[in-house]
Amino acid sequence: MTGHESRFARIDVRQWARACALGMNAALAFVCLNLGRMGKTTTTKWGATGIATHVGMSKAQARQALQALEAEGLVRSIRDGLRSIVDSGAGIFAWVPQSVVFGVEGNRVPPMELLREYADPMLLRLFVDMYERHDLPGVGGLPPCVLHERWDKHVLFRSPAWHVVAFTSNHSLHTPLSPDDDLIRPHVVRAGASGTDNYDAWWCRCKDLRATGLLTRVLRLAESADADAATAITFWPAEWQGHDTPEEARVGTAAEAVVQAMLRKNHDAWNDVRALQATGTVVLLPLPAHMVPQATLQTVYRLRYRPHTKETQAWYAWLSHQADVWTQAFHDVEVQWGDSISAAEERERREAGRI
């Protein structure tokens, strides 16, 4: 990579669909060519050698992929090994980070090379198309209309200021998107007026992206179903393995500590938790009492690799601030409940000593 290349690829989604129709190697080559754009121009300096080096194909395969893209009219050779990428003019772009090709430190296989192993160009197409919908500042990832998981709410414990709420899910996912939506349409088999549309390919590819770790899930707690990210808490439950960001893991751990403090020795509440766990996943959260009536829990699906744009940097700054605020709030509640429990236990010991 040279200083002329971008930190992310600006991929025209309409041209991207045509590239994917040419097969996996042509699609991978198209991503690399867009990553090699020189500044804001359509000129790219990437060729067969660079493509073969970074996405796990031979030079002969890379040359064939370039020839297929040129024959389709997606790329033009101009001079001295340079090529020009032909945009559709629609102005709809997916902003894909360079890390999907180069990888990041600690991950041995870059995403593009990993997806090539699936030999499914439509899986690669979905992965890139999701970047066009990805909205970190707005909802913290993909909009809930893309992938939606229902969480039911159960109040386990009430105090004047804070309640402990259990949210339960059986991991039943659905997509509110119309089958005619550009994101989902290539992966749905339409059945016509008398039948039922087949979403199997859509769900299989979403599952594959989850299995590769390229699509992660976090939780988002909002005061209402239509709240934007700026008024919501995003966190990673302490009992989940791994985490997406340290900030969200910190909030999740602090929330768990409050739950443990508030439900200490509350055997009835823990019995209720065990009963709920028999029906699916249970996430316990301490909530300010005024939030409970309208509070909703949402699963946010988020692409793990993110372009280093100003919007992404602003989101990380906001997330860090949010984590500080809620971690401190949860810590204060934990201390308050710890002090009150200690005082109650001391009174019990004194009463026992008088008997």
Side-chain angles (χ1 to χ4, degrees):
M1 180 177 177
T2 72
H4 293 293
E5 294 163 329
S6 176
R7 294 173 297 172
F8 45 80
R10 188 190 69 172
I11 299 178
D12 184 315
V13 295
R14 292 194 177 178
Q15 303 294 68
W16 169 240
R18 294 173 59 194
C20 289
L22 300 175
M24 177 63 84
N25 288 344
L28 289 167
F30 193 70
V31 173
C32 292
L33 291 173
N34 277 276
L35 184 60
R37 285 181 187 243
M38 301 173 67
K40 297 181 179 180
T41 71
T42 60
T43 302
T44 178
K45 63 186 301 182
W46 274 54
T49 300
I51 294 168
T53 300
H54 291 292
V55 295
M57 68 177 80
S58 68
K59 286 186 180 180
Q61 290 173 321
R63 284 193 291 268
Q64 291 172 356
L66 289 172
Q67 291 169 1
L69 292 172
E70 291 179 5
E72 183 65 18
L74 297 173
V75 177
R76 291 196 301 264
S77 293
I78 43 180
R79 66 183 186 282
D80 301 328
L82 298 179
R83 292 174 174 82
S84 176
I85 299 168
V86 180
D87 287 339
S88 69
I92 304 174
F93 297 97
W95 300 87
V96 181
Q98 66 179 22
S99 51
V100 303
V101 172
F102 295 106
V104 295
E105 186 176 354
N107 290 343
R108 291 183 298 175
V109 182
M112 289 291 112
E113 191 171 344
L114 178 64
L115 291 175
R116 186 173 184 267
E117 296 177 2
Y118 282 79
D120 179 7
M122 296 305 291
L123 176 63
L124 180 60
R125 177 176 174 180
L126 177 60
F127 175 61
V128 171
D129 283 346
M130 281 184 170
Y131 276 98
E132 192 270 321
R133 300 295 177 93
H134 208 236
D135 183 11
L136 280 176
V139 294
L142 291 170
C145 65
V146 175
L147 292 169
H148 180 76
E149 179 179 2
R150 176 178 173 176
W151 290 87
D152 295 320
K153 181 170 55 180
H154 314 266
V155 179
L156 293 180
F157 179 79
R158 291 178 171 86
S159 74
W162 288 77
H163 294 177
V164 174
V165 179
F167 290 93
T168 59
S169 170
N170 62 5
H171 299 298
S172 177
L173 282 175
H174 76 278
T175 176
L177 288 177
S178 162
D180 292 321
D181 185 276
D182 288 342
L183 179 65
I184 197 174
R185 186 176 65 245
H187 314 279
V188 175
V189 178
R190 303 304 301 271
S194 60
T196 302
D197 297 332
N198 188 325
Y199 286 76
D200 288 351
W202 162 260
W203 291 119
C204 182
R205 288 174 182 134
C206 289
K207 182 180 178 181
D208 286 342
L209 290 178
R210 286 276 294 127
T212 60
L214 299 178
L215 187 65
T216 66
R217 61 193 283 260
V218 295
L219 294 182
R220 174 176 179 261
L221 181 76
E223 290 193 60
S224 63
D226 58 352
D228 61 21
T231 60
I233 313 167
T234 58
F235 66 97
W236 187 276
E239 67 271 19
W240 288 13
Q241 296 296 316
H243 58 79
D244 188 61
T245 68
E247 292 81 5
E248 288 160 328
R250 185 154 50 95
V251 174
T253 300
E256 183 190 42
V258 176
V259 169
Q260 295 294 331
M262 294 181 70
L263 297 187
R264 184 178 176 183
K265 295 185 177 181
N266 190 327
H267 301 297
D268 290 340
W270 286 116
N271 286 336
D272 291 340
V273 171
R274 283 188 283 272
L276 291 172
Q277 287 173 335
T279 65
T281 297
V282 178
V283 173
L284 302 178
L285 279 177
L287 293 182
H290 72 273
M291 284 183 61
V292 172
Q294 298 298 321
T296 63
L297 192 65
Q298 299 170 348
T299 303
V300 174
Y301 286 86
R302 181 186 295 163
L303 293 165
R304 182 175 293 278
Y305 292 78
R306 295 147 207 157
H308 292 176
T309 61
K310 292 181 179 179
E311 290 79 7
T312 303
Q313 292 171 357
W315 176 78
Y316 275 116
W318 167 82
L319 184 65
S320 179
H321 172 72
Q322 181 206 51
D324 290 341
V325 170
W326 280 100
T327 300
Q328 185 61 52
F330 288 146
H331 175 72
D332 292 344
V333 176
E334 180 191 3
V335 170
Q336 174 189 345
W337 275 87
D339 290 344
S340 62
I341 290 172
S342 297
E345 290 177 341
E346 180 62 25
R347 286 195 299 271
E348 290 177 3
R349 284 194 292 269
R350 290 176 181 174
E351 291 295 331
R354 294 194 187 104
I355 297 174

